[in-house]
């Protein structure tokens, strides 16, 4: 059941909201567990089994660690439960998501070297959202281990925190420290939350249905063109940059909006990422819930910035490559992670030079800033080529085509892409200049204009949506 | 909450509600203007294509809506080219064309096929009108006088005779009442209704269809099959049509009525049959199949008796969703199949005529 399906919008969501509002807090939680199970099982009821295993292991490990903490046992006692949790979680994720990829890769490598290692693969159905809920559940046990939060007493509260349907399938990856208190304590639904929730839902659907789904055929055509010209690649990659942004941030907005309608607060996942001025800035703005997760649970434990320069670079590369691999079991995701690791490292290396250039152009700070934004956007777009490509051959072919980026460019296609993304650009400029992500609350938006804007968004979503597509991040 | 707060919320709600509705209507009109060059202020719906007249109802000259374009004579399609012989297609919505892409309704394809084969000799004029009964000979007669066709293709829609037992031919004609609804005046409502129909899940459509049938037939018990009088009325109308065409100097060609259900009804197609019945709730589902069968037998019988060529589309065009977009209306592929059958019949007839003339000349 997709957010953009009629059964969700007209059936599931209104019924769930209606019943939810009528129930007292504890019953609300039980009801949300049932509703979330129904939502998840609508794909395949068997998906509930690995989710139940993950949450049970983490609940048990957290309980043991909490008990150990109360008994003042040494850290090593807690560590074994943490390791059990991490190993079992990652084994489950590894089996479902990466087993066939590594088995195939190992076979290929062995064959290349002249060995026959006879590995076998399995017909594995990848449970939707497994990457998201594994990371979310892991953050819980790690936080309990670190003593940053107490283990929750109720399994069902923890189960709901992981399973809660708005964020289950594609995030934002919520931290236990912020979500579990919202589950255990009664939630307050204010008129402001409802207003913000509705805003996020309308804007999220607009981005998904009007922008992402209308860009999808252009992107698909560009990435399925044999031997594409530079112009085709340029337009295709730029279109994909906006497609994936609107698709994923649209999903996140809808998820955050639905959560707000129920009194929950989800973390911000996107903060104008294409206005980033450098790679580090980009990762502070793009998929924030994942990048902060990787920062807190991988980069920092590896040593983070507080180590030798070479090790910092190593940590960046490891973090980004694993971040790439998190997206999927394919070499292009690893390459994409490696590319972003390289950008982060290169930016650190070049920082003194960039600072000097910034000072040189200090007489026009605006121009320098926009120049860096443009450069970062171009670099990001190349990353999207790596991300979207279906094979390494295609990466090479398209990269070569980009040496002549305007060759064979189709003006009509450029106009079409420009027309589709123009509402997003207008809104993002308002958001950027006003500093308000809820752009209709900006000064430029009197109330009547906001009513007109919402109405137009709904009109365009209903009558000018593209062919409905599944959310890109559902596959991860 | 105090009374003044409630009043304030209600007033603002009303103002913003009205603003929102106005925005939706303006957006729909601007949208139509940019996409289809539709007028901003005048009504724009499929009902713009037709008007009440002394002939009952007829097409509006040069009217346009979405993919439908009327010519200066008030018939769907392009202007007839002078110097060519005319062929008329007379029928209901199946011939007018509903679901086919623009210029792929079967009369257009007949014209294209004939002109490719016979060196640009024909205009095919589509005088069909949704809902028309073939007994409306005054309308046909007016078209014959305007166009003086060589052939007239008659493709009846038997369902339009459901509920009637008297022939239309010879009855006085009154202007048909305007059937415009709110959806014709509010572009937004029109679009919303169409989108709702497209998006509604199959299960919901079935439930609504069954409710419509139930509510329409609760005061009157539905009948199992159409009485013989209905077929007699149809037969009389066919007679009038053939006489009118011949009096106008044309050669009639009859076509049996093809449906989604093909020659034999499959159990899996019953949902589609129920969907059809929604428009004629007083006849039970199996009655439609019976009516089709009896009408097609009648058409073949009239063809034999009157010496009129008959295209047996009902037996040749396979049923199913590949050829039919709903119970009776064609897809592009269905329209092509139909056009090929009719064009072959015309070519066959022209060949026979040419051979006859040659042999008479030799004698």
């Amino acid at each position: 059941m997709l957010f953009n399906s009629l059964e969700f919008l007209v059936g599931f969501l209104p019924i769930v909201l209606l019943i939810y509002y009528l129930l007292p807090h504890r019953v609300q939680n039980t009801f949300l567990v049932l509703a979330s199970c129904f939502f998840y099982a609508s794909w395949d009821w068997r998906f509930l089994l690995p989710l139940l295993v993950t949450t049970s292991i983490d609940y048990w490990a957290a309980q043991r660690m909490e008990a150990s903490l109360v008994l003042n046992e040494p850290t090593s006692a807690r560590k074994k439960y943490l390791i059990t949790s991490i190993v079992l979680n990652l084994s489950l994720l590894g089996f479902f998501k990466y087993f066939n990829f590594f088995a195939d890769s190992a076979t290929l490598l062995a064959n290349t070297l002249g060995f026959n290692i006879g590995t076998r693969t399995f017909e594995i159905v990848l449970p939707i959202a497994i990457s998201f809920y594994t990371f979310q559940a892991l953050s819980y046990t790690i936080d309990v281990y670190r003593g940053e939060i107490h283990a929750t007493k109720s399994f069902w509260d923890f189960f709901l925190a992981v399973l809660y349907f708005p964020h289950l399938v594609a995030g934002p990856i919520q931290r236990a420290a912020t979500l579990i208190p919202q589950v255990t304590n009664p939630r307050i639904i204010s008129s402001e939350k409802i207003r913000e929730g509705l805003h996020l839902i309308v804007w999220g659907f607009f981005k998904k249905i009007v922008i992402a789904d209308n860009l999808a055929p252009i992107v698909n055509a560009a990435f399925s063109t044999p031997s594409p010209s530079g112009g085709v690649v340029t337009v295709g990659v730029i279109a994909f940059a906006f497609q994936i942004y609107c698709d994923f941030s649209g999903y996140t907005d809808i998820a955050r909006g639905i959560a707000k309608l129920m009194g929950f607060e989800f973390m911000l996942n996107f903060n104008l990422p294409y206005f980033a001025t450098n790679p580090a800035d980009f990762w502070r703005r793009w998929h924030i819930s994942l990048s902060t997760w990787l920062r807190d649970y991988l980069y920092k434990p590896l040593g983070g910035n507080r180590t030798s320069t070479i090790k910092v670079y190593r940590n960046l590369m490891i973090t980004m490559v694993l971040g790439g691999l998190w997206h999927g079991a394919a070499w292009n995701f690893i390459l994409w992670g490696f590319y972003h690791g390289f950008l982060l490292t290169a930016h650190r290396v070049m920082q003194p030079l960039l600072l000097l250039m910034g000072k040189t152009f200090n007489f026009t700070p605006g121009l320098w800033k926009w120049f860096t934004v443009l450069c970062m956007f171009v670099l990001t777009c190349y990353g999207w080529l790596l991300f979207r490509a279906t094979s390494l051959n295609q990466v090479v072919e398209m990269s070569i085509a980009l040496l002549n980026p305007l060759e064979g460019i189709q003006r009509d296609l450029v106009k079409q892409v420009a027309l589709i993304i123009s509402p997003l650009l207008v809104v993002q400029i308002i958001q950027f200049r006003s500093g308000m992500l809820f752009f209709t609350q900006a000064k430029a938006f009197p109330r009547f204009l906001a009513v007109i804007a919402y109405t137009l968004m709904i009109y365009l979503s209903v009558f000018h949506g593209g062919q409905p597509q599944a959310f890109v991040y559902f596959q991860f | 909450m105090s009374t003044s707060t409630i009043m304030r919320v209600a007033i603002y709600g009303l103002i913003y509600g009205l603003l929102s509705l106005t925005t939706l209507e303006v957006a729909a009109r601007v949208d139509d203007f940019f996409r289809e060059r539709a007028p901003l202020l005048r009504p724009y719906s499929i009902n713009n294509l037709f008007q009440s007249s002394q002939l009952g109802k007829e097409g509006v000259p040069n009217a346009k809506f979405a993919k439908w374009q009327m010519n200066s004579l008030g018939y769907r399609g392009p202007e007839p080219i002078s110097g060519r012989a005319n062929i008329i297609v007379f029928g209901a919505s199946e011939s007018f064309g509903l679901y086919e892409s623009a210029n792929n309704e079967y009369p257009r394809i007949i014209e294209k096929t004939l002109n490719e084969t016979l060196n640009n000799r024909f205009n095919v004029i589509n005088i069909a009108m949704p809902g028309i009964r073939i007994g409306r000979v005054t309308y046909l007669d007016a078209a014959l006088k305007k166009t003086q066709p060589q052939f007239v293709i008659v493709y009846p829609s038997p369902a339009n005779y459901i509920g009637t037992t008297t022939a239309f031919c010879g009855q006085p004609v009154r202007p048909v009442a305007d059937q415009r609804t709110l959806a014709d005046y509010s572009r937004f409502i029109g679009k919303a209704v169409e989108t709702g129909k497209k998006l509604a899940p199959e299960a919901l459509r079935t439930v609504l269809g069954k409710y419509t049938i139930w509510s329409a037939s609760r005061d009157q018990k539905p009948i199992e099959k159409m009485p013989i009088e209905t077929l007699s009325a149809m037969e009389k109308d066919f007679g009038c049509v053939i006489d009118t065409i011949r009096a106008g100097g044309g050669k009639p060609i009859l076509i049996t009525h093809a449906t989604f259900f093909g020659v034999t009804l499959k159990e899996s197609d019953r949902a589609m049959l129920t969907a059809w019945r929604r428009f004629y709730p007083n006849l039970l589902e199996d009655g439609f199949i019976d009516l089709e069968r009896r009408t097609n037998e009648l058409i073949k019988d009239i063809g034999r008796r009157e010496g009129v060529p008959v295209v047996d589309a009902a037996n040749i065009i396979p049923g199913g969703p590949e050829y039919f977009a709903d119970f009776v209306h064609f897809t592009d592929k269905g329209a092509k199949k139909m056009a090929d059958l009719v064009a072959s019949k015309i070519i066959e007839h022209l060949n026979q005529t040419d051979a006859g003339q040659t042999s008479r000349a030799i004698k």
Side-chain angles (χ1 to χ4, degrees):
Chain A
M1 193 171 2
L2 299 169
F3 280 0
N4 54 341
S5 65
L6 213 60
E7 59 262 40
F8 181 83
L9 278 171
V10 183
F12 182 81
L13 184 62
I15 291 169
V16 167
L17 284 176
L18 187 70
I19 297 173
Y20 177 83
Y21 289 140
L22 295 173
L23 297 173
H25 170 245
R26 289 311 302 180
V27 193
Q28 275 180 340
N29 285 359
T30 312
F31 172 68
L32 283 181
V33 169
L34 293 174
S36 300
C37 283
F38 178 82
F39 176 78
Y40 196 40
S42 69
W43 274 280
D44 190 333
W45 66 268
R46 290 170 300 177
F47 291 171
L48 283 167
L49 298 177
L51 177 67
L52 200 60
V53 171
T54 300
T55 44
S56 302
I57 291 166
D58 292 330
Y59 175 75
W60 169 80
Q63 289 296 318
R64 302 306 309 163
M65 286 190 278
E66 183 80 12
S68 170
L69 201 65
V70 172
L71 295 173
N72 263 333
E73 287 175 358
T75 315
S76 59
R78 295 207 306 278
K79 204 170 204 166
K80 68 181 179 197
Y81 296 117
L82 176 69
I83 290 169
T84 310
S85 162
I86 291 174
V87 168
L88 288 175
N89 273 294
L90 293 183
S91 302
L92 207 61
L93 178 64
F95 173 73
F96 280 109
K97 194 160 179 173
Y98 302 107
F99 180 83
N100 282 349
F101 169 69
F102 284 117
D104 283 340
S105 300
T107 311
L108 192 69
L109 180 67
N111 288 345
T112 312
L113 297 173
F115 300 106
N116 183 5
I117 58 171
T119 54
R120 60 173 297 187
T121 54
F122 298 96
E123 288 283 327
I124 299 170
V125 179
L126 177 68
I128 286 172
I130 190 166
S131 306
F132 284 95
Y133 68 68
T134 302
F135 271 34
Q136 190 153 305
L138 271 178
S139 80
Y140 170 66
T141 46
I142 297 170
D143 285 352
V144 172
Y145 168 77
R146 289 172 175 172
E148 289 174 9
I149 56 168
H150 290 289
T152 179
K153 288 191 179 72
S154 160
F155 170 75
W156 294 109
D157 283 351
F158 173 59
F159 192 51
L160 175 59
V162 178
L163 180 72
Y164 184 39
F165 72 88
H167 73 79
L168 170 69
V169 180
I173 302 166
Q174 294 299 306
R175 299 297 175 82
T178 55
L179 192 55
I180 288 179
Q182 296 184 57
V183 172
T184 50
N185 299 320
R187 294 168 287 273
I188 296 162
I189 301 165
S190 62
S191 60
E192 193 185 345
K193 264 193 177 171
I194 289 183
R195 221 174 22 242
E196 287 181 354
L198 291 174
H199 167 95
L200 287 167
I201 291 170
V202 173
W203 177 231
F205 272 114
F206 179 82
K207 282 194 282 187
K208 165 66 182 157
I209 296 172
V210 179
I211 302 178
D213 287 354
N214 275 314
L215 288 172
I218 298 170
V219 173
N220 294 344
F223 278 85
S224 56
T225 305
S227 309
S229 65
V232 169
V233 178
T234 305
V235 176
V237 168
I238 291 173
F240 182 63
F242 286 100
Q243 185 205 347
I244 194 166
Y245 171 63
C246 289
D247 191 287
F248 193 17
S249 73
Y251 173 88
T252 304
D253 284 352
I254 298 164
R256 290 177 64 219
I258 293 170
K260 271 182 191 281
L261 294 186
M262 297 187 187
F264 286 89
E265 271 303 335
F266 283 177
M267 71 182 294
L268 186 68
N269 215 15
F270 294 90
N271 185 10
L272 308 175
Y274 294 147
F275 284 83
T277 53
N278 59 60
D281 190 22
F282 177 78
W283 284 105
R284 281 192 291 271
R285 293 164 176 271
W286 178 273
H287 202 173
I288 299 166
S289 64
L290 176 68
S291 57
T292 50
W293 195 100
L294 291 171
R295 181 195 67 199
D296 294 344
Y297 300 111
L298 183 61
Y299 180 68
K300 283 183 180 172
L302 283 170
N305 298 340
R306 294 175 187 169
T307 182
S308 68
T309 311
I310 294 295
K311 282 187 177 170
V312 170
Y313 298 158
R314 179 205 65 182
N315 296 344
L316 283 172
M317 292 307 289
I318 290 173
T319 306
M320 295 317 293
V321 168
L322 289 177
L325 191 61
W326 175 88
H327 285 81
W331 284 104
N332 62 312
F333 292 125
I334 295 174
L335 193 61
W336 177 73
F338 184 84
Y339 172 75
H340 273 283
F342 170 77
L343 288 184
L344 286 164
T345 309
H347 177 248
R348 275 182 172 266
V349 173
M350 290 172 66
Q351 210 154 23
L353 178 68
L354 291 169
L355 280 173
L356 186 69
M357 285 171 74
K359 277 179 189 162
T360 314
F361 290 100
N362 203 20
F363 59 95
T364 55
L367 188 66
W368 173 247
K369 184 183 166 66
W370 286 109
F371 176 72
T372 53
V373 166
L374 184 67
C375 289
M376 189 56 219
F377 179 69
V378 171
L379 291 171
T380 308
C381 281
Y382 185 72
W384 291 132
L385 188 158
L386 306 176
F387 190 93
R388 177 61 175 77
T390 48
S391 68
L392 293 179
N393 280 346
Q394 191 177 33
V395 169
V396 173
E397 197 175 42
M398 288 186 135
S399 301
I400 292 169
L402 276 179
L403 293 174
N404 197 350
L406 299 180
E407 185 197 12
I409 202 156
Q410 294 170 31
R411 285 187 178 192
D412 285 349
L413 209 55
V414 174
K415 275 187 205 165
Q416 202 182 336
V417 171
L419 184 69
I420 295 169
I421 65 173
S422 56
L424 178 80
L425 296 181
V426 170
V427 167
Q428 296 237 309
I429 288 168
I430 294 170
Q431 288 173 320
F432 184 71
R433 291 179 74 95
S434 66
M436 298 190 80
L437 292 180
F438 290 99
F439 56 91
T440 50
Q441 291 173 14
K443 275 186 185 166
F445 261 89
R447 182 76 57 94
F448 81 92
L449 205 56
V451 172
I452 292 174
Y454 288 129
T455 309
L456 285 177
M457 281 193 259
I458 292 168
Y459 177 88
L460 290 169
S461 301
V462 174
F463 299 112
H464 283 268
Q467 195 67 25
Q469 312 271 332
F471 288 91
V472 174
Y473 263 68
F474 270 30
Q475 60 186 300
F476 308 137
Chain B
M1 206 185 276
S2 68
T3 315
S4 64
T5 315
I6 293 171
M7 281 296 285
R8 201 161 54 92
V9 170
I11 288 168
Y12 273 110
L14 188 68
I15 291 169
Y16 290 143
L18 286 173
L19 179 62
S20 187
L21 285 175
T22 310
T23 307
L24 287 170
E25 186 59 28
V26 171
R29 283 166 187 265
V30 172
D31 191 6
D32 284 344
F33 175 76
F34 280 110
R35 286 216 287 195
E36 296 171 14
R37 294 283 149 208
L40 276 169
L41 299 176
R42 277 178 284 130
Y44 184 65
S45 75
I46 195 159
N47 286 327
N48 283 23
L49 303 176
F50 308 102
Q51 62 188 353
S52 293
S53 76
Q54 293 308 311
L55 299 173
K57 189 168 110 173
E58 60 186 321
V60 177
N62 301 314
K64 184 181 182 301
F65 173 68
K67 65 184 173 189
W68 295 279
Q69 169 77 58
M70 311 300 261
N71 62 20
S72 61
L73 300 171
Y75 304 129
R76 186 179 181 191
E79 293 299 320
I81 296 169
S82 62
R84 290 184 180 181
N86 291 333
I87 296 171
I88 275 182
V89 175
F90 179 45
S93 52
E94 299 93 322
S95 305
F96 183 76
L98 291 187
Y99 298 103
E100 306 89 337
S101 51
N103 298 319
N104 276 314
E105 62 275 17
Y106 80 82
R108 285 279 65 68
I109 308 175
I110 295 175
E111 183 178 75
K112 199 171 159 229
T113 310
L114 288 179
N115 287 337
E116 278 169 5
T117 318
L118 302 171
N119 201 18
N120 296 331
R121 277 170 57 184
F122 292 102
N123 294 308
V124 175
I125 302 169
N126 184 358
I127 70 164
M129 204 164 28
I132 201 169
R133 289 143 177 156
I134 51 151
R136 288 266 310 277
V137 288
T138 44
Y139 174 75
L140 173 64
D141 195 34
L144 293 170
K145 289 194 171 96
K146 274 193 251 183
T147 58
Q148 295 168 345
Q150 187 174 346
F151 293 97
V152 178
I153 318 293
V154 181
Y155 188 47
S157 190
N160 288 338
Y161 277 81
I162 292 173
T164 186
T165 49
T166 49
F168 288 90
C169 168
Q171 286 191 22
V173 179
R174 290 186 199 90
V176 174
D178 195 350
Q179 291 170 333
R180 286 173 198 267
T181 62
L182 190 59
D184 291 294
Y185 296 99
S186 164
R187 304 269 184 93
F188 167 68
I189 291 175
K191 281 175 191 289
V193 168
E194 284 307 308
T195 308
K197 280 182 193 168
K198 273 187 217 158
L199 293 179
E202 186 65 39
L204 180 66
R205 274 183 285 177
T206 306
V207 168
L208 288 176
K210 285 190 174 165
Y211 173 76
T212 312
I213 291 167
W214 172 80
S215 94
S217 57
R218 64 186 158 173
D219 297 330
Q220 190 183 346
K221 196 167 179 283
I223 53 172
E224 285 182 12
K225 61 187 219 172
M226 292 311 297
I228 187 69
E229 288 81 3
T230 300
L231 271 294
S232 302
M234 219 187 284
E235 186 175 4
K236 190 177 173 200
D237 281 346
F238 270 116
C240 285
V241 167
I242 292 168
D243 291 346
T244 307
I245 294 168
R246 284 177 172 158
K251 172 90 190 163
I253 295 176
L254 302 180
I255 311 178
T256 59
H257 192 245
T259 68
F260 179 91
F261 311 101
V263 180
T264 41
L265 176 70
K266 294 187 212 63
E267 276 308 302
S268 55
D269 292 342
R270 285 217 163 254
M272 181 64 90
L273 197 54
T274 304
W276 193 9
R277 193 188 157 202
R278 195 159 63 87
F279 295 93
Y280 311 93
N282 294 322
L283 179 63
L284 289 174
E285 279 86 344
D286 288 326
F288 284 81
I289 302 297
D290 174 70
L291 177 65
E292 289 290 320
R293 185 185 53 75
R294 287 159 73 199
T295 305
N296 289 336
E297 287 305 320
L298 176 68
I299 291 169
K300 285 189 261 188
D301 188 41
I302 291 169
R304 276 192 294 274
R305 273 195 333 240
E306 299 281 341
V308 174
V310 175
V311 177
D312 196 4
N315 265 318
I316 301 171
I317 300 179
E322 207 177 326
Y323 293 89
F324 292 90
D326 64 8
F327 22 88
V328 290
H329 299 104
F330 294 116
T331 57
D332 280 355
K333 192 169 179 184
K336 174 81 171 71
K337 182 82 179 166
M338 177 71 152
D340 289 346
L341 291 175
V342 178
S344 304
K345 185 61 95 181
I346 292 171
I347 293 167
E348 181 191 313
H349 186 77
L350 287 169
N351 288 341
Q352 281 171 4
T353 313
D354 288 348
Q357 280 170 353
T358 311
S359 72
R360 272 196 298 277
I362 292 166
K363 280 176 191 168

